[in-house]
Amino acid sequence: MKHLEDRKYIIGAIFVVFALIFIIRLFYIQILSDEYAIFSEDNVVREETVYPPRGLIYDRKNKLLVYNEASYDLMVVPKQVKSIDTNAFCALLDITKDDFIERMNKAKEYSFYKPSIFEKEISAIEFASIQEKLFAYDGFFIQTRTLRKYSDSIAAHVLGYIGEVTPKTLEKDSFYTMGDYIGKSGLELQYEKLLRGKKGKRYVLVDVHNRIKGKYKNGEKDISPQAGKNLQITLDADLQKYAEKLMRKKLGSVVAIEPKTGEILTMVSSPGYNPNLLIGRAIKKNYPKLAKDSLHPLFNRAIMSLYPPGSIFKLVQSAIALQEGVITPNTGFACNKSLVGCHNHPYARNVREAVKMSCNPYYYQVFKRLIQRGENKNIFIDSRIGLAKWHDAVLKFGLGHKLGIDIPGEKSGFIPDVAFYDRWYGEKRWAFSTIYSLSIGQGEIGVVPVQMANLAVIMANRGYYYTPHFIKQIEQLDTIPQKYTFKHSTGVDAQNFEYIIEGMEAVVNEAGGTARRAKIDSITVCGKTGTAQNPHGEDHSVFIAFAPKENPQIAVAVFVENSGFGGTWAAPIASLIIEKYLTGKISNPQKEKRILEADLIPKSEHAQRK
Amino acid sequence: MELKFKYIKGDRVIWMVTFLLAILSILTVYSSIATLAYKYKSGNTIFYLLKHVFILGIGFGMMAVVQNIKYKYFSRLSQLALFIAIPLLLLTLFTGANINEASRWLVIPIINQTFQTSDLAKLALIMYLARVLAKKQDVITDFKEAYLPLIIPVVAVCALILPANFSTAAMLFAISLFIMFIGRVPMKFILATIGLGIVGILLVFAIASVSPKLFPRFATWKKRIESFEKGESESNYQAEQAKIAIAGGGIKGKGPGKSTQRNFLPHPYSDFIFAIIVEEYGTIGALVVIFLYLVLLFRGVRIASRAERTFGSLLAIGLTFSIAFQAFINMGVAVGVFPVTGQPLPLVSMGGTSIWFTCITIGVVLSVSNTGLLKSNPKKASAK
């Protein structure tokens, strides 16, 4: 068949060429490239997440407040679990066989091939005994994690807690994978992005028995984790601990701030809880308990509770009235109890005495002058003009809006404005006589404790404040957020504050003052009492103060619910905190003992809790 | 000695190659059958081994029978086979057993054996082409007289195979063109056919992307081609696992029955059997297999050269070519030179229809060599 000769060899040649290509290809896969060789030997590269240590938190004196402790998660890859001695395994973990089956099913539901958590947060001691025997159980291995610990168990509301990330967050933020921990409240939530660091990856070769054979590609694909940034916060751990001790068996809050900087020294909300109750596994058990408690220990009263400020508001009224010129430092008013109720006290001849004795009718008159300035003959219109001006002035005292402190959940408080009363009573249907309760800090006014403390700061600084904050220093950063270094002015001259401060000094230090219990022999404390009317029971007791009078170092607000008059309980607590902070000791152990022993939780609440 | 070769006629080298491939097939299939055995026969690998040996035995029997038929009869037979194959293909397309969304199998009643109709169609078409080419040699340059009678059955058969089995259709189309090329069909016709073939494929893809129901396998084709083009090894689990198997084999291999990748590769006993061969017998094993198929091809060429008639010549070369071509496609997929397709390795992969039709194919080639040898080697003939 000669005629075929010419073509058939071409085909032969093509095949030879392909044979050569195959051989070259084989040579490449087997010898030149090691990519597949590793797999052929071990068959599994396991990607392990390396968790970065979460940033630590120190107090202002560099005392460690929050740290991490190693814990171990037992992981399982269902596909690799083969013929294990289930009974022995259950005994090792101290779980029942049903538990075992349930957990295995859950893991299988997630994935047969990917590891999922079988047992969470095994302590170091338990880990030691499990580790020893784990080799016998194919498909199980240990992943190291860290647990958050709170030394001294203080400042739970400030520090917050961490918990497992929710599915909602998982969707929004690709940083997290299921089972990761995330800050849930307080500073843990506020500074989550700084504290969490960056996760790393490690690739290890695992043989069929799940034994680690070594690093994959000598670890060149591994990504080392970046530790979270450490934070130093403004809290004074000793003072915090002391304040919490004083507030035991009381409902309320304490906020202490360094006036010159706005740094929060102490923030207590009572009742509180032990932050170590909300870590790791325990959270599931403890959280519902705390959430159901009728005294709401999870609720941070210091930033979330609105109270009428009571008489401490007279400080604001005085300052605005002096600045607006509706009164002079020497304006006096008679204590006319037909206008508004008052206690028995001598005639207040000037601002100083009005503050000292906290005369209600005096401030009725002051507020009347602020609201009805005679700028319009119609008292309704006149009141509108007056209230608008007053409202703007009050807002500058950090009231009626969120201060912007650096823990989540802060409430703004409430200062009524023209629109509010228009809505309430109708336009031009209200005047000073309708709203006069505001003059003494009652009525439709709401202030949160941290704003009260900030008011004490303004007094101490004679007219300005920095936004109260916790952050003092961020590791590797020179600055803290700019908003915490911005000086807010009240627009009231420093001189006008001096008259008021004289009064505040007299409140504590002079006979006839309303807070004689706050007196400390070695320090000039300036303060103001308040009693917030409480329609539901005993009045709330409030006291704000700063000390020393010249060059103040601390401003504090103490709020004790249902404890009656401000001078009785709130004032001595504040003085103890001031003395502890300034001198480090307590000169009057009797005063301390009285506070420590007092149980001011209403009996009805006690009954309810049982 | 002579008695021993009583049933072995024709080209002894081809017999030898076939025999060696069968031995290799038994070893490798037995090694890689475990997953299937555990899935369907609760771990009874012996069942599959016996079944496979039985199938090979029948195949060799068929081979021994077919080689005795004078090859001139295949000319008529091919016509008949094609007339049977085309209705069967239609039947398969509409009622066939559906495995992985591909209707490729007919279940033969009574013996309840699945049967891949495209294997029959392939053999029938190649023989038929040889017949027509041989008959039309004198008018081979004529479009109407020669080209149309050739191309119409090719297009018909390929079009019927295509919806369920794209790679077989494409492969058969290519083999047909090669045979036409050898059969001296003018290059301009062949090139034009290739062009039309490409247009046809594009058309099919266009139709498939508009109405995927017509071509249920379209998504798989597209994915395989795309992942091959992009070199996305990760998305292509099978190709990846095959490379791991090859890398594990090294030069000398892990030894018979020592494969580990058989547990990870899908169809280690058919589509990816070459990877298992390399893993167990190394590059050396691979070279031997490649060499065996090349020997088969070159013996086919040799037989073709010696055949006295054009029909025999085209039969021998076309059929050996089709076997070698399919083998190279299979090996090319395993080493990652071609995209993933489901072509078995002829004679080696497990699967009744494939083995039997390969055996029949070789039987036909042997028949050609037999006749040729009788003419050119009278000594041998007389010895018989």
Side-chain angles (χ1 to χ4, degrees):
Chain A
M1 294 290 104
K2 277 250 159 53
H3 51 273
L4 293 178
E5 302 272 309
D6 50 340
R7 287 188 168 183
K8 70 190 177 201
Y9 289 113
I10 296 172
I11 300 201
I14 290 170
F15 271 87
V16 171
V17 168
F18 265 99
L20 283 174
I21 291 173
F22 291 178
I23 291 161
I24 291 165
R25 182 75 189 167
L26 285 174
F27 181 74
Y28 171 78
I29 294 175
Q30 291 180 334
I31 293 156
L32 294 185
S33 149
D34 67 348
E35 194 178 335
Y36 301 101
I38 294 167
F39 292 105
S40 73
E41 282 159 18
D42 302 281
N43 251 313
V44 205
V45 170
R46 196 167 67 204
E47 182 191 287
E48 292 184 342
T49 302
V50 192
Y51 286 91
R54 199 172 166 85
L56 308 177
I57 301 179
Y58 296 90
D59 89 332
R60 65 190 293 115
K61 293 175 191 158
N62 269 321
K63 190 177 167 194
L64 188 58
L65 283 179
V66 186
Y67 61 98
N68 305 308
E69 203 177 76
S71 89
Y72 306 89
D73 287 347
L74 181 63
M75 311 295 288
V76 64
V77 181
K79 186 78 190 172
Q80 296 172 354
V81 178
K82 272 166 213 154
S83 60
I84 64 164
D85 181 347
T86 318
N87 283 332
F89 188 75
C90 289
L92 185 63
L93 287 177
D94 196 20
I95 57 172
T96 66
K97 204 165 174 181
D98 289 338
D99 276 343
F100 178 85
I101 293 162
E102 190 188 320
R103 289 180 199 191
M104 280 307 286
N105 287 339
K106 213 177 152 196
K108 283 173 188 168
E109 219 170 86
Y110 171 62
S111 167
F112 266 79
Y113 296 90
K114 285 187 202 156
S116 50
I117 298 173
F118 188 82
E119 170 93 352
K120 256 188 218 171
E121 290 151 23
I122 300 164
S123 73
I125 303 159
E126 289 172 298
F127 167 69
S129 66
I130 292 170
Q131 173 79 338
E132 229 168 70
K133 292 171 189 159
L134 202 61
F135 73 93
Y137 305 104
D138 287 347
F140 289 92
F141 67 96
I142 289 282
Q143 184 160 293
T144 314
R145 290 277 282 250
T146 52
L147 270 189
R148 210 62 166 157
K149 285 274 181 173
Y150 303 88
S151 52
D152 276 358
S153 303
I154 55 165
H157 296 109
V158 174
L159 301 171
Y161 66 96
I162 60 171
E164 262 181 55
V165 64
T166 58
K168 224 174 165 184
T169 317
L170 275 176
E171 263 172 45
K172 274 191 279 179
D173 193 338
S174 61
F175 176 89
Y176 301 99
T177 50
M178 204 148 99
D180 280 359
Y181 284 93
I182 183 172
K184 292 277 189 184
S185 73
L187 292 167
E188 295 274 26
L189 170 56
Q190 182 81 23
Y191 293 108
E192 166 70 15
K193 286 203 169 122
L194 292 170
L195 290 168
R196 71 186 181 185
K198 234 178 166 175
K199 283 191 266 188
K201 286 240 148 56
R202 178 171 52 205
Y203 296 88
V204 290
L205 292 166
V206 193
D207 71 2
V208 282
H209 302 295
N210 215 3
R211 286 176 299 223
I212 292 174
K213 302 296 262 187
K215 287 177 172 178
Y216 172 57
K217 285 197 174 175
N218 251 330
E220 66 181 58
K221 279 194 169 179
D222 293 5
I223 303 161
S224 48
Q226 279 175 27
K229 294 224 161 59
N230 295 339
L231 304 181
Q232 188 187 22
I233 61 169
T234 61
L235 221 59
D236 182 315
D238 298 328
L239 191 66
Q240 176 76 23
K241 199 173 178 181
Y242 184 66
E244 286 184 15
K245 198 167 127 193
L246 293 177
M247 288 301 286
R248 229 171 266 161
K249 293 180 281 181
K250 295 159 193 79
L251 304 178
S253 65
V254 172
V255 180
I257 302 175
E258 185 180 69
K260 273 180 289 186
T261 56
E263 292 177 355
I264 300 171
L265 301 169
T266 288
M267 181 181 278
V268 180
S269 174
S270 185
Y273 63 92
N274 180 345
N276 288 315
L277 288 176
L278 295 187
I279 58 170
R281 259 193 295 187
I283 200 168
K284 276 211 177 94
K285 195 175 77 207
N286 293 325
Y287 187 89
K289 256 193 219 168
L290 291 170
K292 272 186 228 152
D293 193 318
S294 64
L295 294 180
H296 309 296
L298 291 172
F299 186 69
N300 187 357
R301 290 169 159 79
I303 60 167
M304 294 171 165
S305 258
L306 255 72
Y307 304 102
S311 298
I312 60 168
F313 194 65
K314 290 168 184 167
L315 300 174
V316 181
Q317 301 286 38
S318 306
I320 295 171
L322 286 168
Q323 185 66 25
E324 300 280 317
V326 299
I327 58 167
T328 70
N330 292 316
T331 303
F333 291 107
C335 181
N336 182 354
K337 291 191 183 104
S338 67
L339 300 173
V340 54
C342 198
H343 55 108
N344 290 322
H345 61 83
Y347 167 62
R349 290 166 296 179
N350 50 35
V351 171
R352 180 182 172 279
E353 287 184 357
V355 170
K356 174 190 165 188
M357 295 178 288
S358 196
C359 178
N360 288 341
Y362 187 96
Y363 285 96
Y364 178 94
Q365 301 286 7
V366 168
F367 190 50
K368 192 175 180 183
R369 288 193 183 182
L370 277 170
I371 297 301
Q372 293 187 344
R373 299 187 184 194
E375 289 178 18
N376 194 301
K377 277 181 191 162
N378 184 326
I379 57 155
F380 296 108
I381 297 173
D382 201 24
S383 295
R384 288 167 70 87
I385 299 168
L387 186 73
K389 285 188 177 169
W390 173 83
H391 180 260
D392 290 350
V394 173
L395 251 54
K396 288 190 180 159
F397 281 75
L399 304 174
H401 59 87
K402 283 182 189 174
L403 286 170
I405 74 168
D406 50 355
I407 52 175
E410 186 194 2
K411 289 278 190 304
S412 57
F414 181 69
I415 303 295
D417 57 4
V418 171
F420 172 79
Y421 285 121
D422 278 354
R423 228 178 309 131
W424 199 255
Y425 298 110
E427 217 178 306
K428 294 184 198 169
R429 303 189 65 167
W430 55 271
F432 167 75
S433 55
T434 328
I435 60 168
Y436 73 92
S437 326
L438 293 179
S439 59
I440 55 168
Q442 304 290 356
E444 299 83 5
I445 185 168
V447 172
V448 292
V450 70
Q451 290 174 328
M452 299 180 190
N454 194 49
L455 186 58
V457 167
I458 291 168
M459 292 298 146
N461 288 340
R462 279 82 169 160
Y464 68 88
Y465 70 96
Y466 293 96
T467 301
H469 56 273
F470 288 105
I471 193 72
K472 195 163 170 66
Q473 206 184 353
I474 301 163
E475 189 190 5
Q476 292 166 348
L477 278 178
D478 297 335
T479 54
I480 59 168
Q482 228 177 2
K483 68 175 186 178
Y484 300 129
T485 54
F486 180 81
K487 190 172 173 178
H488 299 271
S489 173
T490 54
V492 176
D493 298 339
Q495 179 53 43
N496 287 331
F497 281 99
E498 295 297 347
Y499 308 118
I500 302 165
I501 289 164
E502 292 296 323
M504 289 174 78
E505 185 186 352
V507 163
V508 179
N509 298 294
E510 266 181 30
T514 54
R516 298 283 286 137
R517 286 180 204 269
K519 185 173 161 56
I520 307 164
D521 291 335
S522 56
I523 305 156
T524 318
V525 176
C526 302
K528 180 75 195 82
T529 53
T531 306
Q533 282 175 6
N534 175 17
H536 309 294
E538 191 83 30
D539 287 349
H540 302 318
S541 159
V542 57
F543 184 69
I544 65 168
F546 67 86
K549 187 185 170 194
E550 304 304 329
N551 192 18
Q553 298 301 310
I554 181 170
V556 57
V558 175
F559 200 101
V560 186
E561 288 178 18
N562 314 107
S563 68
F565 173 60
T568 318
W569 295 107
I573 293 173
S575 80
L576 288 169
I577 287 165
I578 289 169
E579 190 179 12
K580 180 83 176 178
Y581 181 68
L582 293 178
T583 68
K585 55 184 193 291
I586 298 302
S587 56
N588 185 348
Q590 271 314 111
K591 193 200 271 184
E592 187 182 39
K593 195 172 166 239
R594 174 175 169 266
I595 297 298
L596 290 177
E597 283 173 357
D599 183 345
L600 300 176
I601 296 175
K603 287 190 180 73
S604 57
E605 288 286 357
H606 273 306
Q608 203 181 327
R609 282 187 107 188
K610 274 160 197 165
Chain B
M1 277 306 278
E2 294 302 325
L3 198 72
K4 225 177 192 174
F5 292 110
K6 190 178 167 191
Y7 299 106
I8 297 177
K9 297 173 185 165
D11 192 308
R12 298 242 170 107
V13 177
I14 289 184
W15 271 105
M16 199 66 189
V17 167
T18 315
F19 190 68
L20 286 175
L21 286 174
I23 297 289
L24 183 71
S25 172
I26 291 168
L27 290 175
T28 320
V29 165
Y30 186 50
S31 165
S32 57
I33 206 65
T35 46
L36 198 66
Y38 274 93
K39 206 168 165 186
Y40 297 110
K41 294 282 169 197
S42 56
N44 190 352
T45 48
I46 296 294
F47 169 83
Y48 282 97
L49 175 70
L50 291 179
K51 186 181 169 194
H52 186 60
V53 170
F54 177 73
I55 284 169
L56 277 171
I58 299 263
F60 272 74
M62 289 173 167
M63 212 161 98
V65 171
V66 172
Q67 65 165 342
N68 283 318
I69 301 170
K70 283 199 172 118
Y71 75 81
K72 63 176 181 186
Y73 296 122
F74 292 123
S75 183
R76 268 291 161 82
L77 259 165
S78 72
Q79 232 174 343
L80 184 66
L82 201 62
F83 288 141
I84 296 169
I86 289 177
L88 278 181
L89 281 176
L90 276 167
L91 196 66
T92 315
L93 198 54
F94 294 110
T95 67
N98 200 322
I99 300 177
N100 293 336
E101 270 184 85
S103 308
R104 297 175 183 175
W105 285 268
L106 265 189
V107 180
I108 301 171
I110 305 164
I111 59 167
N112 202 23
Q113 175 71 42
T114 49
F115 168 78
Q116 191 161 356
T117 35
S118 62
D119 280 320
L120 169 67
K122 189 166 69 185
L123 179 61
L125 182 66
I126 293 168
M127 293 203 300
Y128 182 76
L129 284 178
R131 169 193 158 90
V132 178
L133 278 169
K135 284 199 166 174
K136 306 281 182 178
Q137 274 302 306
D138 298 335
V139 288
I140 200 74
T141 52
D142 191 293
F143 181 78
K144 221 167 129 188
E145 279 292 310
Y147 180 71
L148 281 184
L150 285 165
I151 201 68
I152 287 168
V154 170
V155 171
V157 169
C158 289
L160 286 174
I161 297 173
L162 188 133
N165 196 340
F166 177 79
S167 63
T168 299
M171 189 179 78
L172 187 53
F173 192 72
I175 291 171
S176 303
L177 282 179
F178 268 112
I179 293 169
M180 282 157 72
F181 171 70
I182 293 166
R184 300 202 309 143
V185 171
M187 276 310 280
K188 59 179 178 187
F189 289 165
I190 288 171
L191 290 176
T193 315
I194 292 172
L196 283 174
I198 290 168
V199 171
I201 287 168
L202 290 178
L203 208 65
V204 165
F205 272 55
I207 293 168
S209 51
V210 175
S211 53
K213 274 190 182 169
L214 282 178
F215 299 96
R217 296 274 301 162
F218 177 67
T220 312
W221 307 338
K222 210 176 133 189
K223 206 177 80 200
R224 282 176 173 176
I225 292 169
E226 277 175 357
S227 65
F228 181 74
E229 275 173 355
K230 288 184 197 152
E232 264 176 15
S233 47
E234 270 171 56
S235 71
N236 205 329
Y237 177 78
Q238 306 181 21
E240 188 83 343
Q241 294 301 328
K243 282 178 204 157
I244 293 170
I246 288 165
I251 302 290
K252 284 187 281 184
K254 289 181 179 172
K258 298 270 169 63
S259 165
T260 52
Q261 279 306 106
R262 60 188 174 197
N263 301 319
F264 298 93
L265 266 172
H267 312 298
Y269 40 81
S270 66
D271 297 1
F272 282 96
I273 200 161
F274 187 65
I276 303 294
I277 292 172
V278 181
E279 191 183 8
E280 295 194 347
Y281 303 98
T283 311
I284 295 169
L287 287 177
V288 168
V289 174
I290 294 171
F291 179 72
L292 287 176
Y293 285 108
L294 281 178
V295 167
L296 191 66
L297 182 70
F298 283 104
R299 288 312 285 189
V301 172
R302 198 176 118 102
I303 291 163
S305 305
R306 295 192 178 182
E308 55 173 0
R309 296 192 201 173
T310 314
F311 177 60
S313 198
L314 284 166
L315 261 190
I317 201 161
L319 291 173
T320 50
F321 175 80
S322 79
I323 292 172
F325 190 81
Q326 189 183 334
F328 271 60
I329 295 274
N330 175 288
M331 294 188 283
V333 168
V335 299
V337 174
F338 300 131
V340 174
T341 64
Q343 291 307 323
L345 192 59
L347 269 177
V348 179
S349 288
M350 194 177 83
T353 331
S354 164
I355 287 176
W356 288 342
F357 276 98
T358 311
C359 285
I360 292 170
T361 306
I362 292 171
V364 174
V365 176
L366 287 173
S367 152
V368 177
S369 79
N370 209 2
T371 321
L373 280 172
L374 281 174
K375 285 265 171 192
S376 64
N377 198 346
K379 208 171 157 194
K380 197 151 212 172
S382 66
K384 198 187 160 206

